[in-house]
Amino acid sequence: MSDDFDPFADAPRSRLPRREDEQEPSQQSFDPWADLPIRASRPPHGLELPTDAPGLGGMWQDDDASLALDRGVGQGSERDASPSPGGRILVVCTGNVCRSPYIHLRLASELKSLGIEVASAGTGALAGWPVDPGSVALLDAAGIDSTAFRARQLTVDMVEDADLVLTATRAHRRAVVQEAPLGLRKTFALVDFADLVADVERRDIATAPGENLVSRLVAAAGARRHLVRARPGDEDADIVDPFKRDDTVFRQMQQQLDGPLTTIITSVRASSLP
């Protein structure tokens, strides 16, 4: 496994949202722990859709249409500038209809009491679509309502506003940090992040730098990279894409996610303790 992966070796290319039959981006090996050079931020483009694209309004607001209306948050509104007291987590997959909504809504349900805001978006989002029925069934079984959710296209601003970015695959991480370099040290494939925080000590979280719970956990996780052996292949860290596939694949997605999600939720809760 290479430890000198450079996400900037190939010039970023603009892309249209994913077609329904488009496959996942090609995989390549890299070191998910590597510290890579950060370049200066740039105006939000590349990943961004026009501001009137469906699903962009109220990125960091509750996924509740009535609440959004009450707060004056609609499509094309400005980003919520007020920081969340617990921090912000952004979840990224491709279409933002299967994996990332499932992760997003599970985390939001578990972490809301800690003042943590969770959102999600797609690198090639089916913007404006609801959650895929396969993921809806899994969320319903967990007692989590997904009816207000709508898919959003990922933007550079979303990444830079988050304290932690969790991606469904390592390929998604590469795509994120290539377009939003300032997200480099806070962006992880979800399974890799779970490995990093699995044995993190509460005192290490408490003493880590950061403005909120999530950013301190990210700092504590980053300090453990030399202690945790990264999974050797991308396939060992990637969550299967169940889009347009049968219920068996959605159950496989759930099985792959449940352990890492439990680990991350436990670690976040530990970071909230005195």
Side-chain angles (χ1 to χ4, degrees):
M1 177 171 57
S2 171
D3 61 1
D4 59 356
F5 168 72
D6 182 359
F8 313 125
D10 294 324
R13 299 175 181 176
S14 60
R15 56 174 294 181
L16 296 174
R18 180 177 67 162
R19 300 188 307 273
E20 291 188 21
D21 59 349
E22 186 176 345
Q23 298 300 311
E24 286 287 339
S26 61
Q27 306 288 314
Q28 52 182 306
S29 180
F30 81 115
D31 182 354
W33 300 169
D35 268 332
L36 309 177
I38 292 181
R39 61 184 179 183
S41 182
R42 59 186 177 184
H45 67 277
L47 287 173
E48 187 163 64
L49 288 181
T51 55
D52 60 352
L56 281 181
M59 178 65 199
W60 294 107
Q61 301 288 352
D62 295 328
D63 280 310
D64 184 313
S66 61
L67 285 177
L69 290 172
D70 290 343
R71 296 170 182 173
V73 177
Q75 292 179 4
S77 64
E78 294 297 321
R79 288 177 295 149
D80 177 16
S82 59
S84 172
R88 289 172 167 172
I89 299 174
L90 175 65
V91 185
V92 176
C93 71
T94 305
N96 194 212
V97 293
C98 297
R99 290 169 291 183
S100 55
Y102 177 79
I103 299 165
H104 165 181
L105 295 172
R106 282 279 310 274
L107 288 174
S109 175
E110 296 284 350
L111 302 177
K112 183 177 181 180
S113 63
L114 300 179
I116 294 171
E117 296 181 17
V118 187
S120 62
T123 56
L126 298 169
W129 283 36
V131 181
D132 186 282
S135 290
V136 170
L138 299 176
L139 291 165
D140 284 348
I144 299 172
D145 181 20
S146 61
T147 54
F149 181 92
R150 294 296 180 268
R152 297 178 172 103
Q153 176 68 21
L154 183 67
T155 70
V156 172
D157 283 339
M158 292 175 189
V159 176
E160 294 186 352
D161 285 350
D163 297 295
L164 169 62
V165 182
L166 297 173
T167 66
T169 70
R170 287 177 176 173
H172 291 118
R173 179 186 185 264
R174 288 191 285 270
V176 169
V177 300
Q178 185 169 3
E179 292 291 343
L182 291 183
L184 176 65
R185 289 183 176 87
K186 61 183 178 183
T187 303
F188 304 83
L190 183 143
V191 172
D192 286 329
F193 188 72
D195 288 344
L196 281 171
V197 302
D199 296 316
V200 68
E201 297 288 340
R202 190 172 68 186
R203 63 176 178 272
D204 294 332
I205 301 170
T207 58
E211 298 178 351
N212 52 55
L213 301 179
V214 176
S215 59
R216 286 194 293 272
L217 180 62
V218 170
R224 289 177 47 79
R225 285 177 296 187
H226 67 291
L227 300 174
V228 179
R229 183 182 296 274
R231 299 185 185 218
D234 286 3
E235 66 279 3
D236 300 312
D238 291 352
I239 304 302
V240 65
D241 185 359
F243 183 64
K244 298 189 74 173
R245 302 172 74 178
D246 62 31
D247 291 345
T248 302
V249 186
F250 279 91
R251 288 194 296 272
Q252 180 185 0
M253 176 197 76
Q254 181 185 37
Q255 290 167 359
Q256 290 176 333
L257 283 168
D258 280 358
L261 280 175
T262 298
T263 297
I264 292 169
I265 290 164
T266 300
S267 298
V268 173
R269 286 175 173 167
S271 70
S272 71
L273 298 175

